[in-house]
Amino acid sequence: MDFLDTIKEKASSDGNADLNAFSQRGKKIIGYFCSYFPEEIIHAAGMIPYRMRATGKSDTTKGDIFFSSLNCTFVRRCFDKALNQHFDFLDGIIFLNGCDHTRRLYDNWRHADIKPDFRYMFVAPHKIGRLAEERFSEEMVNLKTAVENAFDLVITDDALRRSIHLYNKKRQLIAALYRERLKESVPIKGSELLSIMLTITMMPVEDAISLLETVIEKIDGRKTHKEGDLRVFMGGGCVEEIAHLELIESVGASIVADNLCLGYRHADMLCDESMDPFLSLARRYLNHFSCPRMMNDFRRRLDFLHTVKKEAAIDAFIFEKLKFCDLWGGEMYLCRQESRKHNYPILLLERELYGGSTGQIRTRIQAFFEQVRNQSYTPSELVVSAGNNYKAVMGGITREEKDHS
Amino acid sequence: MNKTKKTLKPFELLNYHMDLKIDILQFLFKFPRFLNGFLFFLRPIYLKKETAWNKRFRWLFLVLGAGKADTLELKAMSHALYAVTDNFFEVKAAKKNREKIVWVEWILNPEICEAFDLVSFNPEVLNVFANSKGMEYPPMIIEAAENQGTPIENCSAQKLAVGSLILEQIPKPSLILGGSHPCDTSISIYQTLEYLTGAPSYIMDFPYWKDEDSYRYYEKNTWELLSFLKKETGKDVDWDKLKTLLDRVNQINNYLREICEMSRAKPCPSSNSLLALAWAIREVNLRSPHMLSMVKAMHQLVRKRYEKGEGVVKKEKLRILLWFPPIPFFFYYFKWMEENFGAVIVADFIGYVSTVHIDTSSKETMIRDLAISQMHLAMGRQCHGPMEFITDEMLKLIDEYEPDCMIFSGHNGCKHGWAGLKIIQDICRGKDLPVLYLNLDIMDKRHTSEEEIKKQTITFFKSHGWA
Ligand code: SF4
Ligand code: SF4
């Protein structure tokens, strides 16, 4: 089996086997949500941060008892897994006010009284700036204290600095992988990178670093795309299905850049190792490439579209959201308006996590790629949805409109 | 979208509130008995449902109490109308004179604009007031926003702001004051609005908790807002003006809190529709002296009934807690239940007031307490934070107001509410409190119509032997 296949296999599970082994050796594992969470603090406490996910066998049957059909499938699936004891290996879980749906995980987890006992809400500001940084660094200190109290341990500044150093190293390696994708010959697929991200966010950072080093070594000289594949940018929130990205790639795309929760944000910005560790963490996590939950940073995200278009020679943008996700829905609106101004080809896709409909999705992406190749841009529907209960509304730029302009 | 555009001239909906008919209405308010008689006499032609030809007045006539309002209630409404139209006139003048207009998001009140003598405007205003021209207008505006790509799942109240902008129904802002509350729609749409208008924004970052650290953070946001406004307008804070307004706000809050307290009495002396209306007027023009006059009239009315031991209905049969936002397109819901079933909404999500007193003795205390009091405004205080912010208040109201049942007005946009539904259900079951779970869009009658809401309510009442 190829090295990357092994990673993919791990990534497709929820990591139980490896993590159980760690547990047996007395290592504590702390689940967390969101890329605004500072893993360093957990690592400095001698524990393993585990990014929560909906992978593995689960549906939404039990999750739907607590959440409604108006909530996104990421939280419904995660909660379903929790109710089915898939997260029993966790010693603690830390929630984040990422969005309205994920913040209710904290409430429902407590209400259903699911293991583990240590459940903590870590709060990230919704804006960037001096005030927010100050507040966020206080929040970092509060988290440290909460972990210390819950597990009866001490997190020293030195340990935290060491963790910051290691995580910076991890970031640099991820960034190196991202740089490789800018090349004309792309040595790693988007789907493969997603597998790697899923894997390294459920293992000790030391192991993640050596895994990344091996990946960089092994992909040297590799070419993953066919002649004529389009170079695609992927934007979207909780995208964790490797098969979904594989599907996009299979119809003629090479995914070379992204703004995914499990993507570029993990590579962007290092922590300043020379300053107060809490302020440094606050600064890095608040100012890294943002997600649409950050209100006063959308211009930077839109500017990124232009930069990345040039740097990564993007042929087409695909943005997608899970149904009922307000935040990514709004982001798609902005990106569409901006792309329209600049005549960038963009496809907006709406779907359910692990929701199937692969036939529909394939057809839509194929049709879009066809249009891009024929230089006719945005599909006539605004948001094409996989599944049924959503109306697709008219109004995109058609070839005729483009010709007129 | 083009079709929609053709049917609305620029600012048609705002202008609708600034013409002769409003003057006539204000004149009629001076003769409340006559006005009531007139509204009562015409009941057969508008009470039951909206038709093609009654749609221009039906919503307003129902809000005015359909001929059964108390004189003081009409007095309160007259002030409400003045507060709203005064703001529209100010905005119109500002537009004409090229003065700055500050958009203030609907859960942030515009007190700070008073300190800079800036014209404030609530871009979501048409979510309530577009109904006065006809209940088809809010859906029409929502559709304009959706047609341009605003996510369908966004709260319709805020899609209305985008749609109103696209359809040129509201003036463009010079500055925007937005907030990260009460929900994701706000977070998302205020980015859209800033993008579409190009106006510089200041974001009030609403903290997740309500503790000392959170209050301090929000207070610092408020100070930073002052600096932002100073920089953008070149003006300085007029502390005396701010103090005068905040003293008045304190009075307003005191009256409203007392009304809420009196509503605990059995029978309930107050119709919560007025409290909900006061919330809407607060959103639009808290700065107007008419706001205080409005709540004074409301207070006088409720106090009068309370002292006599009278209820808002002759025979109170049912006490209801309305949880989650009321339904602007069917504002008459309160009175419809009162009239037909002796069922009184004794407390609700929006009308219940729990803001803090603002100490106006110094600049520092004013800003500190203004920040804290903003964090206690309805919708913001419950929706942004842990589920306990919704359920603790709900439990408190269940204990204090002793409702016989609850109506959960499950608004589509409030996905954070739907995500906590099981918690609400379990609490109500534990309290043995029957609940009607409505699934609707509070701004968009196409989702669940007035008829459907009535039908579900009647079925619910019947199943419990209340009708
Ligand atoms: S997909 Fe959207 S709604 Fe769902 S958890 Fe992610 S950000 Fe929240
Ligand atoms: S009504 Fe609900 S969805 Fe709409 S703004 Fe308020 S909290 Fe958000």
Side-chain angles (χ1 to χ4, degrees):
Chain A
M1 195 189 261
D2 178 66
F3 175 66
L4 287 168
D5 288 337
T6 323
I7 294 179
K8 181 179 161 187
E9 199 178 272
K10 265 196 189 10
S12 310
S13 75
D14 45 23
N16 262 317
D18 287 350
L19 292 166
N20 277 336
F22 282 120
S23 288
Q24 274 155 21
R25 295 211 300 270
K27 272 265 187 201
K28 296 219 178 320
I29 300 159
I30 306 293
Y32 70 91
F33 288 92
C34 197
S35 38
Y36 281 78
F37 178 74
E39 296 153 288
E40 288 88 337
I41 292 180
I42 300 304
H43 180 265
M47 303 192 272
I48 303 175
Y50 170 88
R51 188 183 167 103
M52 300 298 285
R53 59 200 66 209
T55 47
K57 281 198 191 66
S58 177
D59 52 29
T60 62
T61 316
K62 285 191 181 168
D64 289 347
I65 300 171
F66 286 78
F67 287 89
S68 88
S69 56
L70 293 175
N71 297 118
C72 93
T73 29
F74 174 76
V75 295
R76 281 154 63 198
R77 280 187 168 265
C78 271
F79 201 64
D80 196 85
K81 279 169 67 102
L83 289 165
N84 283 312
Q85 281 115 37
H86 289 206
F87 294 125
D88 273 9
F89 59 84
L90 296 177
D91 297 285
I93 177 160
I94 301 176
F95 302 86
L96 203 136
N97 59 334
C99 69
D100 284 347
H101 307 247
T102 45
R103 71 184 162 100
R104 286 286 177 253
L105 279 168
Y106 171 60
D107 302 308
N108 280 321
W109 216 285
R110 288 178 298 134
H111 186 63
D113 199 14
I114 308 170
K115 274 177 72 182
D117 292 338
F118 177 63
R119 308 166 198 134
Y120 186 82
M121 173 53 92
F122 179 72
V123 178
H126 281 283
K127 67 176 185 183
I128 55 172
R130 188 188 52 80
L131 265 189
E133 260 172 40
E134 204 180 284
R135 177 75 197 96
F136 204 30
S137 79
E138 286 167 15
E139 188 68 16
M140 300 274 172
V141 177
N142 292 344
L143 170 67
K144 170 198 169 256
T145 312
V147 171
E148 286 177 334
N149 292 342
F151 296 97
D152 197 16
L153 48 83
V154 175
I155 300 173
T156 64
D157 275 11
D158 278 350
L160 192 53
R161 283 183 205 283
R162 274 197 299 277
S163 300
I164 289 176
H165 181 70
L166 280 173
Y167 275 86
N168 269 347
K169 189 151 186 218
K170 177 173 120 173
R171 264 171 221 128
Q172 283 166 323
L173 291 166
I174 302 173
L177 275 177
Y178 268 80
R179 276 196 302 278
E180 288 294 312
R181 301 164 85 202
L182 300 181
K183 293 180 177 162
E184 197 180 334
S185 174
V186 186
I188 187 154
K189 293 181 182 180
S191 55
E192 291 166 341
L193 191 55
L194 179 62
S195 301
I196 293 168
M197 296 306 296
L198 280 161
T199 309
I200 62 174
T201 46
M202 60 174 170
M203 59 170 43
V205 65
E206 296 81 354
D207 295 352
I209 289 171
S210 62
L211 185 143
L212 286 164
E213 282 168 345
T214 315
V215 170
I216 291 173
E217 197 185 301
K218 296 225 177 198
I219 62 167
D220 191 31
R222 208 163 161 252
K223 182 184 169 192
T224 56
H225 51 98
K226 301 183 294 296
E227 269 329 293
D229 276 358
L230 296 172
R231 293 174 67 90
V232 169
F233 175 94
M234 277 294 298
C238 306
V239 176
E240 59 165 57
E241 306 118 292
I242 302 159
H244 176 61
L245 295 198
E246 285 174 342
L247 186 149
I248 298 174
E249 287 161 348
S250 74
V251 291
S254 179
I255 301 169
V256 294
D258 67 68
N259 180 9
L260 300 175
C261 289
L262 269 162
Y264 180 58
R265 226 167 291 149
H266 292 259
D268 189 40
M269 247 187 114
L270 299 179
C271 279
D272 184 340
E273 294 181 33
S274 66
M275 64 193 294
D276 168 71
F278 296 101
L279 187 57
S280 169
L281 285 170
R283 200 163 273 180
R284 189 266 154 187
Y285 278 93
L286 209 57
N287 292 295
H288 65 37
F289 187 50
S290 65
C291 116
R293 70 178 295 286
M294 303 306 283
M295 291 184 76
N296 61 349
D297 201 29
F298 71 87
R299 289 192 201 283
R300 192 160 61 120
R301 294 196 300 274
L302 293 181
D303 287 346
F304 184 69
L305 295 185
H306 307 305
T307 320
V308 82
K309 173 109 179 44
K310 272 198 213 118
E311 280 186 357
I314 300 293
D315 297 309
F317 291 87
I318 298 180
F319 277 86
E320 56 175 48
K321 68 185 258 279
L322 300 185
K323 285 179 181 169
F324 307 110
C325 175
D326 289 293
L327 296 180
W328 279 97
E331 188 72 357
M332 285 183 8
Y333 175 87
L334 294 177
C335 290
R336 181 173 181 278
Q337 298 291 328
E338 190 71 6
S339 303
R340 225 183 143 143
K341 274 190 202 157
H342 298 270
N343 250 338
Y344 295 167
I346 181 168
L347 175 74
L348 307 177
L349 196 63
E350 179 184 67
R351 60 192 191 87
E352 304 276 30
L353 195 71
Y354 300 102
S357 311
T358 46
Q360 267 183 47
I361 295 172
R362 182 193 306 276
T363 313
R364 277 159 183 168
I365 296 170
Q366 267 169 342
F368 171 58
F369 286 174
E370 201 55 40
Q371 285 178 311
V372 175
R373 289 198 179 92
N374 295 335
Q375 305 270 301
S376 103
Y377 290 164
T378 314
S380 55
E381 294 148 313
L382 274 183
V383 177
V384 286
S385 65
N388 33 34
N389 58 7
Y390 255 58
K391 61 176 179 183
V393 279
M394 303 296 291
I397 302 179
T398 59
R399 186 204 278 257
E400 290 75 30
E401 256 183 280
K402 192 176 157 263
D403 289 345
H404 274 98
S405 62
Chain B
M1 184 192 155
N2 290 337
K3 193 166 164 256
T4 312
K5 249 194 154 169
K6 263 183 228 143
T7 61
L8 275 177
K9 287 193 223 103
F11 305 106
E12 188 175 331
L13 293 173
L14 284 195
N15 287 337
Y16 187 77
H17 298 85
M18 290 187 272
D19 64 12
L20 184 66
K21 73 178 142 340
I22 299 297
D23 292 337
I24 296 173
L25 182 58
Q26 285 294 14
F27 177 74
L28 290 176
F29 273 130
K30 295 195 166 72
F31 309 97
R33 278 177 215 285
F34 172 77
L35 181 57
N36 258 342
F38 173 72
L39 294 173
F40 193 80
F41 176 72
L42 291 180
R43 269 181 154 226
I45 61 170
Y46 68 86
L47 191 68
K48 286 240 159 79
K49 62 175 181 193
E50 191 177 71
T51 60
W53 64 276
N54 72 16
K55 68 180 185 188
R56 290 290 155 93
F57 56 83
R58 178 174 185 262
W59 183 84
L60 184 64
F61 283 13
L62 291 175
V63 171
L64 293 176
K68 291 199 169 185
D70 187 282
T71 318
L72 282 165
E73 205 171 340
L74 289 176
K75 188 174 170 191
M77 288 196 211
S78 162
H79 287 294
L81 189 64
Y82 272 126
V84 174
T85 52
D86 282 359
N87 179 250
F88 291 179
F89 277 112
E90 265 168 24
V91 165
K92 194 175 178 181
K95 197 170 161 285
K96 194 169 155 220
N97 304 330
R98 296 176 183 277
E99 285 168 28
K100 285 199 186 318
I101 298 173
V102 186
W103 276 11
V104 182
E105 179 236 289
W106 67 329
I107 322 293
L108 294 167
N109 284 174
E111 291 91 331
I112 287 293
C113 293
E114 179 82 3
F116 286 89
D117 203 13
L118 289 164
V119 174
S120 50
F121 181 72
N122 169 345
E124 288 92 2
V125 70
L126 293 174
N127 63 39
V128 176
F129 296 97
N131 284 295
S132 39
K133 190 171 161 75
M135 277 156 49
E136 78 272 27
Y137 284 99
M140 185 189 274
I141 303 171
I142 290 168
E143 194 133 305
E146 289 176 352
N147 284 350
Q148 212 199 57
T150 308
I152 289 160
E153 60 265 59
N154 275 181
C155 173
S156 46
Q158 306 206 20
K159 277 189 282 194
L160 264 147
V162 177
S164 303
L165 179 72
I166 294 169
L167 295 177
E168 296 178 64
Q169 292 306 301
I170 51 177
K172 283 204 173 140
S174 323
L175 301 169
I176 298 178
L177 172 50
S180 63
H181 70 309
C183 61
D184 284 351
T185 294
S186 228
I187 290 174
S188 181
I189 288 236
Y190 270 80
Q191 300 181 52
T192 298
L193 292 173
E194 188 181 340
Y195 178 82
L196 292 179
T197 62
S201 288
Y202 183 79
I203 302 299
M204 296 291 288
D205 187 20
F206 205 81
Y208 182 83
W209 302 108
K210 287 194 190 76
D211 54 16
E212 282 312 313
D213 286 347
S214 306
Y215 288 145
R216 212 174 319 116
Y217 177 54
Y218 207 57
E219 181 188 339
K220 285 182 186 170
N221 270 258
T222 313
W223 281 108
E224 205 175 65
L225 169 64
L226 293 181
S227 312
F228 168 82
L229 289 173
K230 268 188 204 172
K231 185 173 149 262
E232 293 293 336
T233 64
K235 293 183 174 185
D236 218 340
V237 188
D238 183 335
W239 292 101
D240 292 336
K241 260 192 121 178
L242 183 63
K243 181 181 174 348
T244 309
L245 175 61
L246 294 183
D247 283 334
R248 202 160 69 227
V249 170
N250 277 334
Q251 284 187 62
I252 292 168
N253 288 335
N254 286 343
Y255 281 122
L256 289 171
R257 271 198 302 264
E258 264 190 54
I259 295 172
C260 292
E261 272 304 296
M262 289 187 283
S263 298
R264 289 167 56 182
K266 287 185 180 175
C268 175
S270 162
S271 173
N272 254 62
S273 62
L274 270 180
L275 283 168
L277 186 68
W279 182 84
I281 306 301
R282 178 196 274 267
E283 276 181 46
V284 180
N285 200 5
L286 172 73
R287 297 164 66 184
S288 164
H290 285 289
M291 177 84 209
L292 178 59
S293 309
M294 175 195 182
V295 298
K296 264 187 188 166
M298 285 165 60
H299 185 268
Q300 210 183 327
L301 168 66
V302 177
R303 172 130 224 137
K304 182 182 81 181
R305 288 195 192 122
Y306 176 77
E307 279 169 357
K308 287 191 199 156
E310 280 175 4
V312 65
V313 290
K314 280 217 174 75
K315 194 164 178 330
E316 182 179 284
K317 292 191 189 145
L318 201 57
R319 296 169 68 83
I320 302 171
L321 171 64
L322 179 69
W323 211 229
F324 271 69
I327 312 157
F329 72 81
F330 186 23
F331 202 72
Y332 195 60
Y333 193 35
F334 296 80
K335 294 204 181 272
W336 174 77
M337 286 194 283
E338 288 166 14
E339 203 174 316
N340 291 285
F341 306 99
V344 182
I345 292 176
V346 290
D348 83 285
F349 199 73
I350 290 302
Y352 186 71
V353 174
S354 65
T355 49
V356 299
H357 181 82
I358 300 168
D359 176 351
T360 56
S361 60
S362 72
K363 296 173 188 175
E364 287 71 26
T365 58
M366 274 196 272
I367 296 302
R368 181 197 67 202
D369 293 349
L370 175 61
I372 298 174
S373 83
Q374 296 263 323
M375 283 178 61
H376 287 263
L377 291 175
M379 195 182 289
R381 75 166 176 263
Q382 300 111 331
C383 298
H384 191 93
M387 196 60 198
E388 282 86 345
F389 287 180
I390 291 176
T391 51
D392 285 357
E393 187 169 321
M394 183 182 96
L395 270 168
K396 172 178 148 57
L397 298 182
I398 292 173
D399 289 344
E400 291 181 356
Y401 287 74
E402 299 178 33
D404 302 293
C405 66
M406 185 170 106
I407 296 178
F408 175 80
S409 50
H411 172 43
N412 259 225
C414 299
K415 289 168 279 293
H416 54 85
W418 287 102
L421 191 63
K422 168 94 167 69
I423 302 177
I424 293 178
Q425 282 171 338
D426 288 349
I427 289 175
C428 291
R429 261 187 224 123
K431 287 264 165 194
D432 234 347
L433 188 74
V435 185
L436 166 63
Y437 293 97
L438 292 173
N439 180 345
L440 43 76
D441 185 316
I442 55 168
M443 309 291 169
D444 192 341
K445 62 172 185 168
R446 294 170 304 176
H447 185 290
T448 305
S449 65
E450 177 183 325
E451 285 70 38
E452 186 54 35
I453 295 167
K454 282 179 179 165
K455 210 166 105 191
Q456 288 187 35
T457 309
I458 292 170
T459 311
F460 172 66
F461 286 170
K462 278 189 177 159
S463 68
H464 288 278
W466 297 323

